[in-house]
C-alpha cells in the first residue's frame, strides 16, 4: 500500500465515517443489543427522530431480537406465502411491533422506542385502510416516508376527514379490522352510488400489495353492484377479485395497454359514458388539431387515449428445416374495440413479418414526425443457432428473448393512437395470410441497422446547418442525445449485473458441491448432517440467483435495450423535422432567386418573360407557405410525440421497476423460507 | 465502547468492540485472563494493534494493561511457541495471516487512474466501495489477531507461557524485526525437510488406532475444507461483485437523472435510491457471509493444518522411538553402548508416550471446539441471512408500495407526477 496510499490517500470525510461503521458492523452487533440502546438514545424525544425511519432504526428492530425472527414471523411467512407482498406488508408492519415489545422488556434497553416505531407502523396501515381521495394519499405517503412523526399525526386527521366522505369513521375501522364477514355486509345495504364505487375500486387496485382480503371483497362488490360501468374496467376488477393473487394485477399492468387501472379520473369518466369506443375517436382526430394546442392541452388529451387492446406473442415454433427454417409466433389479440371484426383473434407471423410491418409504418408515418417503435434487431448468429442447434439452452433463451421483444414491440405499436388506426397494423393483427414481406427478407441484420441509423447520420450533418429557433427543440435534442448516452452506459452496467449474478449462481453451485463433500467427510454426525443440509440450501439459492439473473435481464436490461432503440427512433423524428425545415428553407431560397430573376427581367425590360417569372414566384410562394406549414405541423407532431414518449417512458420504467421489486421480493421470500428451514438443523449440531 | 473508524493524516484508526468476532474460541469461559484488541491503527500496510489484557493471575504485575503490538510480533510469538519442545504435544494455534490490503489497494489504484474520466457520481461510488473494502479487510485483520491471542489465553498450558506473558505485558517494542531473506529461506527449507520427512515416516507402522483414524480423517478433511474455503471465497467475491454492480447502476441512474429535465428526473432519482439501498443490503449479506462462513472455513483450514502438524510431530516421535528400539537391539547384539542406547530408547519412548497422551487430549478437544465453532457460526450466519432477507423484503415492499401508490396519484391528475 506504501506508494499508492501516499499518492492518493482516500480522502474520506469524517462525517461519513460513523455511518459507515454502523452499517458494516450491524451484522455483528445484531446479537448484542448494544447497538440498539445506542440507537435509541435520541429517540425519547419523538419529535426529533432519525431522518428516515425506514432506513436505520427499522432495520435494527429487525436485527435485534433474533428469537423473534425465528419463532413468530416464521409462522406468518409460512401461512402467507402465496401472495408475498401482501403478507409482506402485514409482516412488515406488525413485526416491528412485536419485536418492539421484546426490545423494551429487555433490561438493557429502556428508552421508549415504541413511540417512534408505532408511528410509521400505524401510518401506512391507516393509509391503506382508510379511503381518502387518492391524491391525498400520495401526499400523505410522502410524509410517512420523509417526516414520520409529523406525517403520522397529520395522516390520522386526514384519515378521519377522508373516511367521513364514504362511511362513518367507525364503520370503516370495522370494515377492515374485523372479519371479512362484517365487510361484506356493510357496504351492501348502503347501496353505493357510482362515485363511491369507483373510489373503492381505485383503492382496490392500489392496495393489493398491502392487504389481500379487501381486494377480494371490493372486487366482488364491484361485480355484484348494478352500478353502470364500462365493461373494460369491470372485467379487470373481476380478474383481481377471482385470483386475488397480485401477480395478475401486475401482469395486467404490463400486458394491458390501455386500462391503466389506477387512472381514477379517467375511470370516473368512463363510468359515466358507457360507450367504449368513444375515447378512441378524439385521439384519432387529435393529430390534425394538434398544432393549435398548448402543452397542457396535449397532456390532457394524452390521458384520454383509453382503449382496450391486449396483444400477446406466444408459441414460438420452428417451421421448416435447415437454413430455410424460420420461427413463427402466435400473435393473439383480445379487444373490445369496434374497429376489429371480432373480440379475440389469432394469427401466425414470422419475424420478417414484424420487420415488414415496421417498414410499412415508418414509410408512412416517419415523415409526419411520428415515433415509430422499432422492432428487435435481426440476429443472424442467434437465429443460426436456432436453425442448427436442437435443444440448446442458449437458443431457447434467444427465442424467448425475441418473443418477449416482439411482444413489447407490438404493444408499443398499438398503444400509439395514430399507428393503431393504420390499416397495415390491423391487417397484421387480423389477416390470416399476409403477403410475404419481400423487401425485409433481403434486409440482413447489418442492412437493417443501416436503415435505422441512416436517419441519425443525416441529423448530425444537418444540425450544423440548422439554426434552431425553437428553444424547446434545442434543449430536447440535446436531452435525447444525453439520455441515449446514459442509457447505453446503464445498459452496460445492468448487463454486467446479469453476468455477475450468473457467475454468483455458478459459484454458489460449486460451493454447494464442496460443502456436500465436506459434510461427507465430517465425523460428527449432526454437523455432517447440517453441512449436507447447507449444501441443499445453497443449491436452492443457486436456483434463486439464476431466476434473478433472468429477471435482471428481462425486466431491466431489455427495457434499457428497448429504450436505446426507441431513443434512436426519437432522433429519427427530429431528423424528419429538420428535413422539413430544410425543404422550407430551400423553397425560401428558390423564391428569393425567382424574385431576383423577376427584378432582373424588370430591369432588362423583357416583358415577354415577365409573366412566366411572376407565375414561378407565385408557385414558389405557395410552396414556401406550404412547406412552412408542413414544418410547423411536423414540429407540433414531433413535440407531441416526444411528450407522449416521455410519459410512456416514465410509465414503462415505473412498471418495470415495480416488477423488478416484486421479483426481488419473491426471492427474498424464498430465501427466508430456506434459511428458516435450515436454522433448526444448525441448532441441532451438538 | 462503540465501534468507530476514522482516518487521520493518511492513517486509519479502528476501534472495535470485543463482540465483533468471526471465529469463536471461547471453550472455557475463564475470566482470569481476558484479552482483546480494542483498537488498531493502520499506516500504509503496517497495522498496529492495541492488545488489552485483564487478569487476576498473580504472574502479571497489574490487573489490567494495554500494549501496542505489530503483526511481526505476533509471528514472533507464534514461532517461539512452535519451537518450544515442551509444546510438541499441543495443537499450536495457527498464526494470524499477514494483513492483506491487496484488494483495496487495487481499487485505490483504479480510483486514482480513472479520476479524470469518471463522473462525480461514479467517483463517489468508487470511493464508497473502497472505503467499505478497506474497512472489511482491516476488521478481519484485527479479528484474526485477536483470535490468536484468545486461543492462547484460553489454553491451560499456553496461558502460562513466559513469552506470551511478555508479549502481553512488556510495554516497549519487542524489537522483533521482519524476517530477512536467509531466515525466510530457512523457513522454506524447514518446510521442505518436513514434507520430505513426512513421506519418509509415513512408512512407519501406526501402533495406536486412534491416531490412525485421526490421520485418515484429518488428511481427508483438510483437503475438503481447503476446497470449501476456496469455493466460499469465490462465492462471496461474486456476491460482492453483484453489490458493486448495484452501486454502479445507482450511480448511472443518478447521472441520468442529473441530465434530465422532465418529471422523469424524480423517478430516476428514486430508482437510484432503490439500487443504492440494494447495494447496501447486498454488501451486508456478502460481508456477513464472508465473516461467518468463509472466515470459519479459512480459520479451520489453518487449524487443521496445526492439528496435522501435531500428528507429524507425534509420528516423528514414533519413528524416533522405533529407531531407538532398533538401535538398542543392535547395541545388544553387538554388546556395545548398551547403556547409552537404553537411555536413548527410554527417552524416546517417554517422549512418544507423552506426545501421544497430550495429542489424544488435544485432538479430542479440537474436535469439540470445531463442532462448537461450526454450530455457532452456522447459526449466526443463518440468523443474519434471515435478518438480511427480511430487511430486503421490507425495503422492496416499502418501495413497491411507494411506487404503486404514486401510480394512482399521478395518473389521476397529470402533474402530480412531480410530487411523489
Amino acid at each position: 500500500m506504501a506508494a499508492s496510499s501516499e499518492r492518493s490517500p482516500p480522502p474520506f470525510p469524517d462525517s461519513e465515517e460513523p455511518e459507515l461503521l454502523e452499517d458494516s458492523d450491524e451484522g455483528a452487533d445484531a446479537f448484542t443489543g448494544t447497538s440498539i440502546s445506542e440507537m435509541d438514545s435520541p429517540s425519547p424525544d419523538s419529535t426529533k427522530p432519525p431522518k428516515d425511519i425506514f432506513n436505520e432504526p427499522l432495520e435494527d428492530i429487525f436485527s435485534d431480537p433474533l428469537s423473534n425472527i425465528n419463532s413468530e414471523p416464521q409462522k406468518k411467512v409460512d401461512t402467507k406465502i402465496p401472495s408475498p407482498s401482501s403478507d409482506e406488508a402485514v409482516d412488515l408492519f406488525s413485526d416491528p411491533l412485536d419485536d418492539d415489545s421484546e426490545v423494551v422488556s429487555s433490561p438493557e434497553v429502556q428508552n421508549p422506542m415504541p413511540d417512534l416505531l408505532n408511528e410509521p407502523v400505524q401510518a401506512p396501515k391507516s393509509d391503506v385502510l382508510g379511503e381518502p381521495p387518492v391524491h391525498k394519499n400520495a401526499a400523505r405517503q410522502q410524509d410517512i416516508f420523509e417526516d414520520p412523526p409529523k406525517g403520522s399525526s397529520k395522516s390520522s386527521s386526514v384519515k378521519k376527514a377522508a373516511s367521513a366522505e364514504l362511511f362513518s369513521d367507525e364503520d370503516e375501522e370495522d370494515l377492515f379490522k374485523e372479519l371479512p364477514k362484517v365487510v361484506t355486509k356493510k357496504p351492501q345495504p348502503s347501496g353505493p352510488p357510482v362515485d363511491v364505487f369507483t373510489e373503492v375500486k381505485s383503492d382496490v387496485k392500489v392496495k393489493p400489495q398491502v392487504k389481500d382480503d379487501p381486494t377480494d371483497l371490493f372486487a366482488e362488490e364491484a361485480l355484484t353492484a348494478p352500478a353502470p360501468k364500462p365493461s373494460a374496467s369491470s372485467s379487470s376488477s373481476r380478474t383481481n377479485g377471482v385470483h386475488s393473487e397480485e401477480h395478475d394485477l401486475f401482469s395486467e399492468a404490463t400486458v394491458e395497454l390501455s386500462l391503466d387501472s389506477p387512472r381514477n379520473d379517467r375511470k370516473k369518466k368512463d363510468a359515466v359514458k358507457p360507450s367504449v369506443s368513444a375515447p378512441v375517436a378524439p385521439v384519432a382526430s387529435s393529430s390534425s388539431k394538434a398544432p393549435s394546442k398548448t402543452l397542457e392541452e396535449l397532456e390532457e388529451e394524452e390521458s384520454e387515449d383509453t382503449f382496450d387492446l391486449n396483444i400477446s406473442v406466444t408459441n414460438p415454433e420452428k417451421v421448416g428445416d435447415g437454413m430455410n427454417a424460420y420461427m413463427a409466433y402466435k400473435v393473439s389479440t383480445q379487444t373490445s374495440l369496434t374497429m376489429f371484426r371480432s373480440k379475440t383473434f389469432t394469427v401466425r407471423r414470422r419475424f420478417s413479418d414484424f420487420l415488414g410491418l415496421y417498414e410499412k409504418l415508418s414509410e408512412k408515418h416517419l415523415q409526419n414526425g411520428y415515433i415509430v417503435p422499432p422492432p428487435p434487431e435481426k440476429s443472424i448468429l442467434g437465429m443460426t443457432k436456432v436453425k442448427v442447434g436442437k435443444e440448446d439452452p442458449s437458443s431457447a433463451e434467444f427465442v424467448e428473448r425475441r418473443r418477449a421483444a416482439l411482444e413489447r414491440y407490438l404493444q408499443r405499436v398499438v398503444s400509439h393512437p395514430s399507428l393503431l388506426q393504420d390499416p397495415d397494423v390491423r391487417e397484421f393483427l387480423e389477416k390470416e395470410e399476409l403477403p410475404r414481406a419481400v423487401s425485409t427478407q433481403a434486409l440482413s441484420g447489418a442492412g437493417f441497422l443501416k436503415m435505422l441509423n441512416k436517419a441519425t447520420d443525416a441529423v448530425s450533418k444537418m444540425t450544423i446547418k440548422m439554426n434552431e429557433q425553437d428553444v424547446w427543440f434545442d434543449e430536447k435534442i440535446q436531452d435525447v442525445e444525453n439520455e441515449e448516452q446514459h442509457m447505453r452506459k446503464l445498459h452496460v452496467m445492468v448487463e454486467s449485473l446479469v453476468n455477475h449474478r450468473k457467475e454468483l449462481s455458478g459459484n454458489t453451485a460449486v460451493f454447494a458441491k464442496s460443502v456436500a463433500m465436506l459434510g461427507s467427510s465430517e465425523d460428527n454426525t449432526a454437523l455432517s448432517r447440517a453441512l449436507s443440509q447447507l449444501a441443499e440450501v445453497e443449491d436452492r439459492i443457486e436456483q434463486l440467483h439464476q431466476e434473478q439473473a433472468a429477471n435482471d435481464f428481462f425486466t431491466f436490461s431489455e427495457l434499457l435495450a428497448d429504450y436505446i432503440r426507441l431513443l434512436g427512433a426519437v432522433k429519427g423524428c427530429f431528423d424528419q423535422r429538420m428535413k422539413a425545415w430544410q425543404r422550407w428553407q430551400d423553397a425560401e431560397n428558390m423564391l428569393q432567386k425567382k424574385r431576383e430573376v423577376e427584378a432582373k427581367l424588370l430591369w432588362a425590360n423583357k416583358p415577354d418573360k415577365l409573366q412566366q417569372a411572376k407565375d414561378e414566384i407565385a408557385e414558389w410562394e405557395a410552396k414556401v407557405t406550404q412547406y412552412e406549414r408542413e414544418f410547423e405541423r411536423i414540429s407540433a407532431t414531433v413535440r407531441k410525440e416526444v411528450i407522449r414518449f416521455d410519459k410512456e417512458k416514465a410509465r414503462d420504467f415505473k412498471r418495470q421497476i415495480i416488477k423488478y421489486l416484486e421479483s426481488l421480493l419473491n426471492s427474498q421470500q424464498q430465501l427466508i423460507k430456506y434459511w428458516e428451514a435450515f436454522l433448526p438443523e444448525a441448532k441441532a449440531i451438538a | 465502547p462503540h465501534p468507530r473508524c476514522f482516518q487521520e493524516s493518511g492513517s486509519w484508526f479502528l476501534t472495535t468492540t470485543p463482540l465483533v468476532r468471526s471465529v469463536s474460541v471461547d471453550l472455557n469461559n475463564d475470566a482470569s485472563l481476558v484479552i482483546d484488541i480494542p483498537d488498531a491503527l493502520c499506516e500504509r500496510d503496517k497495522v498496529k494493534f492495541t492488545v488489552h489484557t485483564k487478569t487476576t493471575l498473580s504472574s502479571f504485575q497489574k490487573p489490567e494493561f494495554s500494549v501496542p503490538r505489530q503483526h511481526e510480533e505476533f509471528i514472533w510469538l507464534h514461532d517461539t511457541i512452535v519451537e518450544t519442545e515442551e509444546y510438541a504435544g499441543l495443537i499450536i494455534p495457527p498464526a494470524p495471516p499477514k494483513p492483506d490490503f491487496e484488494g483495496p489497494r487495487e481499487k485505490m489504484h483504479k480510483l486514482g487512474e480513472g479520476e479524470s474520466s469518471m463522473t462525480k457520481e461514479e467517483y463517489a461510488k468508487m470511493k464508497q466501495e473502497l472505503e467499505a473494502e478497506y474497512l472489511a479487510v482491516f476488521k478481519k485483520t484485527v479479528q484474526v489477531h485477536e483470535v490468536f491471542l484468545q486461543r492462547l489465553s484460553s489454553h491451560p498450558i499456553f496461558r502460562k507461557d513466559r513469552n506470551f506473558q511478555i508479549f502481553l505485558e512488556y510495554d516497549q517494542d519487542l524489537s522483533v524485526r521482519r524476517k530477512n531473506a536467509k531466515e525466510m529461506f530457512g523457513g522454506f527449507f524447514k518446510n521442505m525437510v518436513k514434507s520430505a520427512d513426512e513421506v519418509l515416516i509415513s512408512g512407519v507402522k501406526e501402533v495406536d488406532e486412534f491416531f490412525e483414524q485421526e490421520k485418515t480423517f484429518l488428511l481427508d478433511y483438510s483437503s475438503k475444507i481447503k476446497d470449501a474455503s476456496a469455493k466460499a471465497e469465490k462465492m462471496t467475491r461474486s456476491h460482492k461483485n453483484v453489490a458493486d454492480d448495484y452501486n454502479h447502476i445507482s450511480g448511472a441512474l443518478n447521472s441520468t437523472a442529473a441530465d434530465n429535465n422532465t418529471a422523469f428526473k424524480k423517478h430516476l432519482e428514486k430508482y437510484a435510491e432503490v439500487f443504492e439501498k440494494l447495494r447496501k443490503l447486498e454488501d451486508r449479506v456478502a460481508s456477513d457471509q464472508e465473516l461467518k462462513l468463509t472466515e470459519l472455513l479459512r480459520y479451520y483450514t489453518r487449524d487443521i493444518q496445526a492439528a496435522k502438524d501435531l500428528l507429524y510431530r507425534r509420528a516423528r516421535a514414533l519413528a524416533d522411538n522405533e529407531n531407538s528400539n532398533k538401535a538398542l537391539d543392535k547395541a545388544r547384539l553387538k554388546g556395545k553402548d548398551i547403556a547409552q542406547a537404553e537411555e536413548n530408547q527410554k527417552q524416546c519412548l517417554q517422549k512418544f508416550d507423552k506426545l501421544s497422551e497430550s495429542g489424544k487430549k488435544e485432538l479430542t478437544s479440537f474436535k469439540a471446539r470445531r463442532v462448537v465453532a461450526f454450530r455457532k457460526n452456522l447459526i449466526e450466519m443463518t440468523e443474519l441471512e434471515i435478518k438480511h432477507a427480511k430487511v430486503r423484503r421490507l425495503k422492496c415492499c416499502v418501495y413497491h408500495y411507494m411506487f404503486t401508490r404514486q401510480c394512482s396519484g399521478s395518473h389521476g391528475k397529470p402533474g402530480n407526477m412531480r410530487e411523489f
Side-chain angles (χ1 to χ4, degrees), chain A residues 307-449:
Chain A
F307 50 88
D308 168 38
L309 186 59
N310 259 322
I311 291 189
S312 57
V313 176
T314 53
N315 296 40
E317 221 173 64
K318 198 165 134 183
V319 179
D321 279 312
M323 286 320 281
N324 288 325
Y326 63 90
M327 295 301 291
Y329 304 84
K330 199 168 120 183
V331 178
S332 316
T333 312
Q334 205 185 353
T335 181
S336 58
L337 296 184
T338 46
M339 59 182 275
F340 293 101
R341 267 175 254 146
S342 53
K343 281 196 180 347
T344 54
F345 40 90
T346 302
V347 289
R348 282 203 85 75
R349 295 284 180 258
R350 53 185 290 184
F351 184 63
S352 54
D353 296 335
F354 288 83
L355 292 187
L357 177 65
Y358 170 73
E359 242 207 320
K360 283 181 203 155
L361 290 178
S362 56
E363 225 166 73
K364 272 184 277 186
H365 298 288
L366 195 60
Q367 59 191 7
N368 297 326
Y370 286 127
I371 300 171
V372 181
E377 279 121 22
K378 252 191 167 174
S379 163
I380 293 173
L381 184 75
M383 205 43 216
T384 313
K385 256 186 174 173
V386 172
K387 282 172 181 168
V388 178
K390 281 180 181 168
E391 301 286 305
D392 185 14
S394 77
S395 72
E397 210 179 287
F398 168 80
V399 169
E400 170 53 21
R401 181 184 175 179
R402 171 162 284 179
R403 184 207 62 75
L406 289 174
E407 190 172 272
R408 290 193 307 272
Y409 159 66
L410 277 190
Q411 283 168 348
R412 287 208 171 90
V413 169
V414 299
S415 74
H416 192 292
S418 307
L419 295 185
L420 177 62
Q421 300 300 318
D422 191 286
D424 280 324
V425 172
R426 240 181 298 174
E427 193 175 65
F428 181 88
L429 295 176
E430 268 185 324
K431 205 172 174 189
E432 199 59 53
E433 283 294 321
L434 211 61
R436 284 287 286 123
V438 190
S439 57
T440 59
Q441 218 177 5
L443 273 177
S444 67
F448 182 67
L449 269 181

Side-chain angles (χ1 to χ4, degrees), chain B residues 299-313:
Chain B
Y299 188 80
Y300 274 90
T301 308
R302 291 201 304 272
D303 214 7
I304 275 174
Q305 187 53 47
K308 272 168 68 190
D309 287 348
L310 167 64
L311 280 188
Y312 161 70
R313 289 191 296 268

